[in-house]
Amino acid sequence: MSFSGKYQLESQEGFVEFMKAIGLPDDLIEKGKDIKSVTEIEENGDQFKVTITTGAKVMINSFTIGQETEIESLTGEKIKAVVNKEGNKLKSVLNKVTSVTELVDGNMLVDVSEISTLTLGSLVYKRISKRLA
């Protein structure tokens, strides 16, 4: 099953708390919480290009499965990471954030990011996006 395609955000859980925990400023959290972002994935063998458009902000990350690369985080920070593929799941760890993107039934992307903090414990941010094309 190929990840290639465009997906639009349908629903999300834990956005505000998670974004505060990773250090996103309150004004950006407020602006971003109701925007229906679009994720476009291009998959060519083990090479991926992921473009996320949230309002006027566009974030592009390219990587090869199993190889270290530099990924731009939600805060704009560049972080070295390795993305692994396990069946229909892409998994990575960016600093303290573990991220799993799962392709469900070929039409839905389910992104689950988790961060562990000393003060708040474990926080989970879940996004469900539906395939547009």
Side-chain angles (χ1 to χ4, degrees):
M1 202 174 338
S2 175
F3 281 85
S4 291
K6 267 189 175 178
Y7 304 84
Q8 183 167 31
L9 180 66
E10 292 278 308
S11 65
Q12 59 187 0
E13 300 166 16
F15 176 83
V16 173
E17 299 84 357
F18 187 85
M19 295 304 156
K20 283 184 180 190
I22 64 169
L24 208 63
D26 287 345
D27 61 324
L28 292 180
I29 293 171
E30 195 57 36
K31 283 182 197 171
K33 70 179 183 179
D34 296 319
I35 294 176
K36 298 288 186 189
S37 63
V38 174
T39 301
E40 184 171 3
I41 300 175
E42 298 172 37
E43 177 183 2
N44 186 3
D46 281 348
Q47 297 183 355
F48 282 75
K49 179 180 176 186
V50 179
T51 304
I52 301 171
T53 305
T54 307
K57 180 168 173 47
V58 178
M59 188 169 64
I60 300 171
N61 284 305
S62 297
F63 56 88
T64 301
I65 297 297
Q67 294 183 13
E68 186 176 70
T69 191
E70 210 171 61
I71 302 279
E72 182 181 351
S73 73
L74 294 170
T75 59
E77 182 182 5
K78 301 274 188 184
I79 302 168
K80 290 199 180 295
V82 176
V83 180
N84 292 302
K85 186 175 178 189
E86 297 175 16
N88 60 339
K89 295 180 182 179
L90 298 174
K91 297 182 176 186
S92 64
V93 178
L94 304 175
N95 283 349
K96 298 176 192 161
V97 178
T98 301
S99 179
V100 177
T101 300
E102 181 176 7
L103 183 61
V104 179
D105 296 332
N107 289 317
M108 300 289 278
L109 269 187
V110 178
D111 295 305
V112 178
S113 296
E114 183 174 357
I115 187 169
S116 294
T117 67
L118 291 175
T119 53
L120 301 172
S122 182
L123 292 174
V124 174
Y125 170 42
K126 181 177 180 181
R127 300 166 25 99
I128 297 175
S129 302
K130 186 172 176 147
R131 186 186 291 269
L132 296 173

